[in-house]
Amino acid sequence: MSGQRKTAQASLEAMYRIFTIPEAPDSTLSRLDQDISRNLTGFLQDHIVALEREMGEMEKDFQDPRVPEKPIFVSEQAQFLLDKLVSQSVHTASPSFVGHMTSALPYFMLPLSKIMIALNQNLVKTETSKAFTPLERQVLGMLHHLVYGCEDAWYRQWMHDPHHALGAMCSGGTIANLTALWVARNQAFPPEGGFRGVHREGLFRALRFYGHEGAAVLVSSRGHYSLTKAADVLGIGRDNLIPVATDADNRIDPDALRDRCLELQRQKIKVLSIVGIAGTTETGHVDPLETLADIAQEFRAHFHVDAAWGGPTLFSRQHRHRLKGIEKADSVTIDAHKQLYTPQGAGMVLFRNPASVSVIEHHAQYIIRKGSKDLGSTTLEGSRPGMAMLIHSGLRIIGREGYEILIDQGIEKAQSFAAMIREHEDFELITEPELNILTYRYSPARTQAALEQADEAAAERINASLNRITRFIQKTQRERGKSFVSRTQLEPAQHNHYPCVVFRVVLANPLTTHDILSDMLEEQSGIAREERIAGERRALESAVASVLEGTEQAAQ
């Protein structure tokens, strides 16, 4: 054999063929498609290797900056993707992948995604979406009803009204939060007298006209980083996304919030929005939304709730009370690709008032004209795929009762795992789960006893050592690929707000079992006893012994 790679021929006929003729049944791509369709989880288990490979090594497979002159065969590209991409991807559907907000998908999402891709509808305009537009409006109505619970007659009036919208579909929580604060900004500085509105004249002129020195958005210190991006894009500045202190349970402190609002008021800084969180990214806690709604009303600020993670908790009759007050929000973010179990790239922002989105409306004669029923005029993104089809399918196939089961079992599993951690001699629970996220760290029982008695300097030495061991365990476990937890850094009140490295676990995958979680803890415990970390462990034991022996001597 010559060893030369075969190439396809670029011709009009060949280009026509790749748009019209599917691959042969025995081709690499067809076999790949069949394997995935038969058993999605099994295929991923067979093909996705979670073992760590250096990024530099992987980059070698993607070095060539030139577009190939000659086409290659589809089967060759499919094999390349299997060998170089799929094999080095993350098996996010694995029941032992519990470190991030990505889960297994219902089996029906794959074939339905094929329909969505094949139709290739563009939701920016009814001319390119047809029936997808009323379907998208219905999806927004269904989630709006989940949050706000208006009467059926109300939805008959507003859901398909061409001059109003119940929300906006978008690619995820970042754009949803930005859209909510975009509305808040434009509502805060509307046209008046000779001023044509912030959307026309800009923020500088708006502040000058209304007599303000600046504008701010307030959120707890656990707020998502997307809000910082929004503050940047909207022109108020990152420094004016103001973090507010949280209590020991990682919820915003209402007194601290009110004090900051009063301080800003004295400084002539307009409070555009107060943001409550329903399911913080790091710990899964929910702010006191009802109290926040009252404070927002007091300061005439837009009340937005970032429920990207926790919003679907409203499906649960047992746990929906945890989100009490969300129905008072002016806007709410929900990510469908989290706990509505759709593929990545599906989020939304909902507005209590269907007229809210009018302040961000944009039109163009060639595509999004006034009075059209499409939602392109009120979305930040222009061209959008028909992800609403997959959300709609999930809502109908799983149903309220199905989502309730998924939510309830996730919260129950988190509570059970928290109990496992409390009972294990090697670990310390850092944050109790309110929903289905929790944090913990390596900290043997003897170490915990020493920390209760240690002075500040000794506690810092012990905590610094625990940070290094916890970090080592997390990285080693990730590299071995059997299971995965993420890590973050918190400042827990019980440790005098010292920055502690912790494991973070998200329990949304219904395939994750108690046995998997138990095995994961035992794997971590075993890693902590390995020779590679023995020096750090001896240093920790020495620091602990010093505290405990000193306490014993003082008691004698």
Side-chain angles (χ1 to χ4, degrees):
M1 293 180 67
S2 65
Q4 290 185 334
R5 193 182 74 181
K6 292 171 65 177
T7 60
Q9 294 298 313
S11 66
L12 184 59
E13 181 183 0
M15 295 302 101
Y16 180 74
R17 188 165 55 247
I18 66 172
F19 279 91
T20 58
I21 302 174
E23 290 287 290
D26 60 347
S27 70
T28 302
L29 187 62
S30 292
R31 284 186 283 106
L32 176 66
D33 184 40
Q34 291 163 17
D35 288 345
I36 295 175
S37 298
R38 276 196 301 269
N39 184 357
L40 177 62
T41 303
F43 172 82
L44 292 172
Q45 191 68 60
D46 292 341
H47 289 80
I48 292 188
V49 180
L51 296 179
E52 191 81 353
R53 184 184 174 201
E54 289 295 326
M55 185 62 72
E57 283 297 306
M58 288 187 283
E59 287 170 356
K60 292 176 182 177
D61 298 324
F62 306 95
Q63 289 281 18
D64 192 350
R66 297 174 182 269
V67 176
E69 284 295 324
K70 298 288 187 182
I72 67 170
F73 291 103
V74 174
S75 56
E76 184 177 345
Q77 175 66 4
Q79 193 62 54
F80 172 83
L81 295 176
L82 275 176
D83 295 342
K84 304 300 184 183
L85 188 70
V86 175
S87 65
Q88 300 300 328
S89 298
V90 180
H91 184 12
T92 58
S94 168
S96 59
F97 182 90
V98 293
H100 287 303
M101 294 172 163
T102 309
S103 172
L105 293 173
Y107 76 91
F108 59 81
M109 286 295 173
L110 183 67
L112 293 182
S113 295
K114 290 183 184 178
I115 297 173
M116 185 192 78
I117 293 168
L119 291 173
N120 197 29
Q121 304 291 282
N122 183 352
L123 274 291
V124 70
K125 179 62 185 167
T126 53
E127 292 167 356
T128 55
S129 64
K130 203 71 174 182
F132 271 66
T133 290
L135 177 140
E136 184 172 77
R137 282 180 169 270
Q138 184 191 15
V139 167
L140 290 169
M142 294 163 88
L143 274 301
H144 190 283
H145 184 268
L146 178 70
V147 173
Y148 295 107
C150 300
E151 298 292 331
D152 288 354
W154 190 92
Y155 291 99
R156 284 195 297 272
Q157 178 180 358
W158 298 113
M159 197 159 67
H160 295 290
D161 186 297
H163 303 290
H164 297 81
L166 304 187
M169 293 291 302
C170 44
S171 58
T174 294
I175 300 298
N177 285 336
L178 173 56
T179 302
L181 297 183
W182 183 17
V183 167
R185 188 200 66 174
N186 287 12
Q187 285 181 332
F189 305 116
E192 185 177 312
F195 177 64
R196 294 179 297 164
V198 65
H199 65 293
R200 295 288 298 275
E201 299 196 33
L203 188 59
F204 176 77
R205 288 179 181 273
L207 292 171
R208 188 171 62 179
F209 179 83
Y210 281 98
H212 297 297
E213 296 295 325
V217 173
L218 290 89
V219 66
S220 94
S221 55
R222 293 275 166 251
H224 193 260
Y225 69 91
S226 64
L227 297 167
T228 307
K229 292 183 184 178
D232 189 346
V233 172
L234 293 173
I236 67 173
R238 296 185 187 187
D239 290 349
N240 287 313
L241 189 282
I242 298 177
V244 179
T246 57
D247 60 20
D249 293 317
N250 294 284
R251 302 181 184 99
I252 195 169
D253 180 342
D255 291 336
L257 173 63
R258 185 175 281 107
D259 289 345
R260 292 305 301 269
C261 288
L262 289 170
E263 180 185 344
L264 291 168
Q265 200 173 58
R266 287 191 294 270
Q267 296 172 356
K268 294 186 177 182
I269 294 175
K270 169 65 178 173
V271 178
L272 290 182
S273 178
I274 289 171
V275 180
I277 309 173
T280 60
T281 303
E282 290 178 301
T283 66
H285 286 90
V286 181
D287 285 335
L289 302 179
E290 203 158 34
T291 303
L292 266 56
D294 293 339
I295 297 173
Q297 187 175 30
E298 178 184 345
F299 289 93
R300 300 181 66 185
H302 181 103
F303 179 38
H304 175 62
V305 174
D306 183 353
W309 179 253
T313 306
L314 293 167
F315 283 114
S316 169
R317 287 166 292 189
Q318 182 181 354
H319 298 292
R320 65 173 294 132
H321 70 275
R322 299 176 188 274
L323 273 61
K324 187 178 180 183
I326 194 171
E327 71 283 353
K328 296 182 178 181
D330 296 300
S331 56
V332 175
T333 286
I334 293 179
D335 264 354
H337 56 237
K338 292 187 169 75
Q339 294 199 87
L340 293 182
Y341 299 94
T342 68
Q344 290 295 323
M348 70 197 76
V349 57
L350 306 165
F351 292 96
R352 182 158 50 95
N353 183 347
S356 292
V357 293
S358 64
V359 300
I360 59 170
E361 224 170 337
H362 282 68
H363 298 283
Q365 281 302 313
Y366 77 101
I367 189 165
I368 43 178
R369 305 176 190 93
K370 282 183 178 289
S372 179
K373 289 200 172 190
D374 57 73
L375 297 170
S377 62
T378 54
T379 54
L380 180 63
E381 295 159 298
S383 298
R384 291 180 291 110
M387 293 299 291
M389 183 191 110
L390 301 182
I391 304 172
H392 187 267
S393 300
L395 293 173
R396 286 168 59 86
I397 294 171
I398 297 173
R400 191 204 62 78
E401 290 183 353
Y403 280 115
E404 179 177 43
I405 291 168
L406 293 171
I407 293 295
D408 286 352
Q409 64 88 35
I411 294 175
E412 182 278 327
K413 205 176 295 177
Q415 292 169 347
S416 297
F417 189 45
M420 282 188 214
I421 293 165
R422 280 191 292 265
E423 292 166 6
H424 201 291
E425 63 179 4
D426 280 346
F427 300 101
E428 175 192 8
L429 187 68
I430 297 296
T431 57
E432 292 277 354
E434 182 173 13
L435 299 180
N436 51 0
I437 299 175
L438 57 81
T439 64
Y440 66 105
R441 67 172 178 170
Y442 175 78
S443 183
R446 182 172 159 85
T447 304
Q448 294 179 47
L451 282 170
E452 290 176 2
Q453 304 167 35
D455 59 26
E456 186 176 347
E460 284 198 8
R461 282 195 297 274
I462 292 172
N463 279 315
S465 184
L466 290 174
N467 283 353
R468 290 189 287 271
I469 297 174
T470 298
R471 191 179 292 112
F472 172 83
I473 294 171
Q474 191 271 341
K475 289 178 68 176
T476 303
Q477 188 173 40
R478 181 192 70 197
E479 289 165 4
R480 292 178 181 173
K482 183 179 177 182
S483 55
F484 171 77
V485 302
S486 58
R487 73 172 189 264
T488 189
Q489 184 173 285
L490 300 175
E491 298 80 36
Q494 65 266 38
H495 293 298
N496 296 314
H497 303 286
Y498 184 85
C500 295
V501 174
V502 298
F503 303 118
R504 172 177 165 271
V505 168
V506 183
L507 294 170
N509 190 335
L511 306 179
T512 303
T513 65
H514 293 81
D515 287 344
I516 287 172
L517 294 173
S518 177
D519 290 346
M520 188 178 73
L521 275 185
E522 292 311 313
E523 183 186 17
Q524 291 177 334
S525 184
I527 292 171
R529 288 171 168 75
E530 291 183 3
E531 186 60 31
R532 285 193 298 158
I533 198 70
E536 189 63 62
R537 198 171 59 249
R538 284 193 294 271
L540 172 64
E541 289 166 358
S542 174
V544 167
S546 177
V547 171
L548 294 178
E549 289 167 7
T551 304
E552 289 173 5
Q553 291 172 2
Q556 291 174 355

